[in-house]
Amino acid sequence: YTWPGQWDELEDIMYLQSGYNRRGFHDGVTPCSAFPQGGPGPHARHAAAEWVRTAFHDAITHNKETGTGGLDGSLLYETDRPENTGSIGFTDTFGFFHSFLNRRVSLADLIALGMFTAVKECGGPTVQFRAGRIDATEAGESGVPEPTTDIDATIAQFEKAGYTKEEMIAMVACGHTLGGVHGNDFPDIVGNSSAEAFPQFDSTTAKFDNVVVTEFLSGNTTNPLAAGPDATNSDQRVFVVDKNATMQSLADPDTFRSTCATVFERIIDTVPSAVTLSEPITPIEVKPRIQQFYLQDQSTLQLEGNIRVRTTERQAPDEAKMEYFDSNGNHCDTCTITAPIARFQGGMGIGFGEQFQFYEFNTNVAVGAISKFNVHFTANSDETHTNNGLGFPLETAILNQSPNSCLEQKDDGNGNWNLTAVAAVRNDRTNLPTWFEVTVKRFTEGIALPKLDIQKIEMARWKDAGSDSEYTLYSGSFPLPIDSWSTAYDLYNGEGDDVASVVNINSGQGACNDWTA
Ligand code: HEM
């Protein structure tokens, strides 16, 4: 791993569940028995089960021959199909994911991460998570098996998606350890059309265990898809396809856990053939976060942020030191920034067995004095982290002038607020184009999540940063529609392979500060 990495934000969403810098992705399924937070609906619902079912219904429409479909978020556009009955579970899941969705975090990756999170939160095994899924922009092929689908057609649907009979049996058993069938969605199965009627697949509610298997094998199951009307007993038909061989192996709790991890990984890694997934996302040992890096006056830079140190397997250091290098790559004796432990929440972040300690820095540096840094601290022993020998780089070609940028909260008559982005461009690069890209959210009636429409806005020279300054200030603006008032933008300078950027900037304050050199 070399910082910055393409999946840094997903890694945060995966591991920073509580404490400092928490992202709180697991809130939607915590505790495991929680009902969905967003959207309407009775309490007789189970958010963790809905997240797991969402991943399956998206993935199973993969066509291995054509390499299309799979876990690509196309389910967003397919919720009115009969095969997706009970779609409120999908739309509420998407609704919860909304605040995590951006141009670098796809809905499809969030669905996959949702599978990891829900299973883990319910005491299940670790489902390995890879990143890189790309979102569909429209509905894909159909092909989700229904309770009334006969067994040959069901097997054929799983095979079309690339799954064997044994995988099918395990997928259904592992999926149906959580949740149940809703009376209002399937009144004929439940025998009651009430939204409060929600018979469970097994007797251990909200627990990821193999009781759904053992109760089936011992003949005392109350699973509505195994002990219900014959026409809709799809679990019964699936479970006996190999004369209970797979079910018998799953009766061993350890086998159940490891098999579920494997088949759920198969589900979330079922992607269109054009998609290449990353290596599994694992927690990063030392991860800086630059929150502010801008020109404060013509010769001084403001630098603010934090350094996250993984403390799952090391003692938390008392402080972290950033040993920095100037623009010529030289390090001087006093070129060190000391970052003490962050105060908020004790500077500790945790998630899924991982533990992190955060160190904050907030300082001024002369222009040209810093271009990269190593991180040094004393944990169980002295450690210096050099980011694979490269140093942790700071982007000095283009700076985000956050004090001079703003989202002015004044309606332009068409419901837009004016976003102004200001950047400082290093003078050796003012001959290259400078622009910003803002993510505009376009909603469609009846679709739970917006399409992300990336708008590119050229920036023009605004002011000299000062007569002696190495920087020139650029500015651009864009009328932001109401649905996009909370969005992010990226700054760019360059062309071809040589593009410098500052990404994922929040639109921030309501008034822009002027610049006086
Ligand atoms: C032959 C294949 C399958 C059929 C016919 C089937 C059918 C159903 C039906 C009818 C429901 C009730 C939905 C509702 O009332 O809202 C349900 C729920 C569920 N299914 Fe399946 N399923 C199949 C396979 C799977 C697989 C492979 C998984 C996961 C890997 C899965 C995960 C779930 C979960 C977690 C629920 C509970 C949802 C909740 O409680 O809201 N299913 N399934």
Side-chain angles (χ1 to χ4, degrees):
Y1 171 80
T2 303
W3 183 87
Q6 196 180 356
W7 310 116
D8 283 354
E9 189 175 353
L10 270 167
E11 192 258 8
D12 271 358
I13 296 173
M14 186 171 181
Y15 291 112
L16 298 182
Q17 298 300 346
S18 35
Y20 187 92
N21 260 4
R22 76 188 292 275
R23 299 301 302 268
F25 187 67
H26 83 154
D27 293 8
V29 290
T30 304
C32 169
S33 59
F35 53 86
Q37 297 183 348
H43 291 183
R45 289 179 49 196
H46 185 188
E50 293 177 359
W51 287 23
V52 169
R53 186 171 179 245
T54 299
F56 172 61
H57 279 235
D58 198 21
I60 186 66
T61 55
H62 178 65
N63 182 332
K64 70 167 188 223
E65 299 301 329
T66 58
T68 54
L71 221 155
D72 61 0
S74 66
L75 181 60
L76 180 64
Y77 307 100
E78 298 162 354
T79 50
D80 54 358
R81 291 179 179 170
E83 65 187 31
N84 291 322
T85 298
S87 63
I88 192 173
F90 306 133
T91 52
D92 280 357
T93 300
F94 297 145
F96 184 86
F97 292 170
H98 186 179
S99 62
F100 298 90
L101 177 73
N102 62 49
R103 69 182 290 192
R104 288 178 188 81
V105 176
S106 67
L107 170 62
D109 274 348
L110 289 170
I111 293 171
L113 190 58
M115 178 77 117
F116 161 88
T117 305
V119 170
K120 202 90 176 135
E121 206 57 53
C122 292
T126 300
V127 181
Q128 191 158 260
F129 169 68
R130 298 166 190 268
R133 292 167 195 78
I134 298 171
D135 288 343
T137 52
E138 57 185 20
E141 274 181 61
S142 55
V144 186
E146 295 179 58
T148 48
T149 310
D150 71 54
I151 191 62
D152 291 337
T154 301
I155 293 169
Q157 281 171 319
F158 276 86
E159 267 174 2
K160 183 177 166 199
Y163 308 135
T164 65
K165 289 191 187 91
E166 290 73 24
E167 285 176 324
M168 170 186 75
I169 298 165
M171 284 174 182
V172 175
C174 296
H176 290 176
T177 182
L178 297 177
V181 181
H182 296 87
N184 55 337
D185 297 325
F186 296 93
D188 295 344
I189 297 177
V190 177
N192 180 341
S193 64
S194 154
E196 301 293 333
F198 184 34
Q200 303 285 297
F201 290 124
D202 65 24
S203 61
T204 51
T205 312
K207 194 160 171 237
F208 197 97
D209 61 15
N210 71 343
V211 171
V212 63
V213 174
T214 53
E215 288 180 346
F216 178 81
L217 291 175
S218 49
N220 63 352
T221 186
T222 53
N223 175 347
L225 298 179
D230 276 349
T232 55
N233 261 346
S234 50
D235 280 12
Q236 154 74 36
R237 290 192 292 270
V238 165
F239 290 162
V240 301
V241 157
D242 65 357
K243 304 201 167 45
N244 277 345
T246 299
M247 288 296 272
Q248 250 133 25
S249 76
L250 297 174
D252 171 56
D254 292 337
T255 307
F256 181 80
R257 285 179 75 83
S258 62
T259 306
C260 292
T262 307
V263 294
F264 279 8
E265 201 178 310
R266 291 271 290 128
I267 289 176
I268 64 175
D269 287 357
T270 298
V271 292
S273 54
V275 173
T276 307
L277 295 175
S278 72
E279 288 299 301
I281 304 290
T282 53
I284 294 164
E285 297 296 321
V286 174
K287 188 180 183 186
R289 181 189 196 85
I290 309 297
Q291 284 164 313
Q292 301 285 356
F293 189 46
Y294 61 83
L295 213 52
Q296 195 169 54
D297 58 44
Q298 62 169 309
S299 53
T300 317
L301 295 162
Q302 166 70 13
L303 175 61
E304 240 176 280
N306 59 63
I307 293 169
R308 194 194 83 180
V309 176
R310 179 168 177 254
T311 51
T312 315
E313 284 154 12
R314 59 162 73 76
Q315 252 169 22
D318 292 335
E319 60 184 22
K321 288 191 185 303
M322 299 157 71
E323 297 167 347
Y324 60 89
F325 299 79
D326 68 15
S327 49
N328 298 316
N330 298 319
H331 173 64
C332 71
D333 285 348
T334 56
C335 294
T336 297
I337 299 164
T338 300
I341 287 184
R343 299 226 172 161
F344 179 72
Q345 304 259 323
M348 223 169 75
I350 55 173
F352 299 125
E354 293 296 335
Q355 210 171 308
F356 307 94
Q357 188 69 52
F358 287 83
Y359 302 85
E360 285 177 347
F361 52 88
N362 182 347
T363 190
N364 289 322
V365 194
V367 167
I370 189 165
S371 65
K372 61 181 181 180
F373 57 89
N374 289 335
V375 175
H376 179 96
F377 54 74
T378 309
N380 306 20
S381 60
D382 254 16
E383 295 183 37
T384 302
H385 292 263
T386 64
N387 200 31
N388 299 321
L390 301 169
F392 295 93
L394 282 165
E395 183 54 78
T396 57
I398 183 165
L399 309 173
N400 165 33
Q401 289 303 112
S402 52
N404 311 107
S405 309
C406 60
L407 178 60
E408 220 186 329
Q409 300 174 8
K410 208 164 68 189
D411 199 311
D412 69 353
N414 296 314
N416 303 313
W417 283 357
N418 193 47
L419 173 68
T420 300
V422 173
V425 177
R426 212 174 51 215
N427 288 341
D428 60 301
R429 297 181 61 96
T430 49
N431 58 322
L432 298 169
T434 299
W435 73 96
F436 75 92
E437 291 179 7
V438 60
T439 303
V440 179
K441 301 178 187 177
R442 308 277 185 207
F443 280 94
T444 310
E445 183 68 37
I447 306 290
L449 292 174
K451 283 209 168 92
L452 303 184
D453 171 18
I454 311 297
Q455 292 283 325
K456 178 174 175 177
I457 297 101
E458 275 171 37
M459 296 171 74
R461 192 166 172 218
W462 181 47
K463 282 182 177 191
D464 275 346
S467 49
D468 297 333
S469 183
E470 290 177 24
Y471 285 91
T472 303
L473 301 175
Y474 279 68
S475 172
S477 58
F478 182 80
L480 213 49
I482 183 165
D483 290 331
S484 303
W485 287 349
S486 75
T487 188
Y489 64 94
D490 307 329
L491 296 169
Y492 298 93
N493 165 270
E495 59 192 5
D497 291 339
D498 174 28
V499 175
S501 62
V502 185
V503 302
N504 209 14
I505 302 163
N506 291 318
S507 31
Q509 56 179 356
C512 295
N513 295 349
D514 197 6
W515 177 271
T516 33

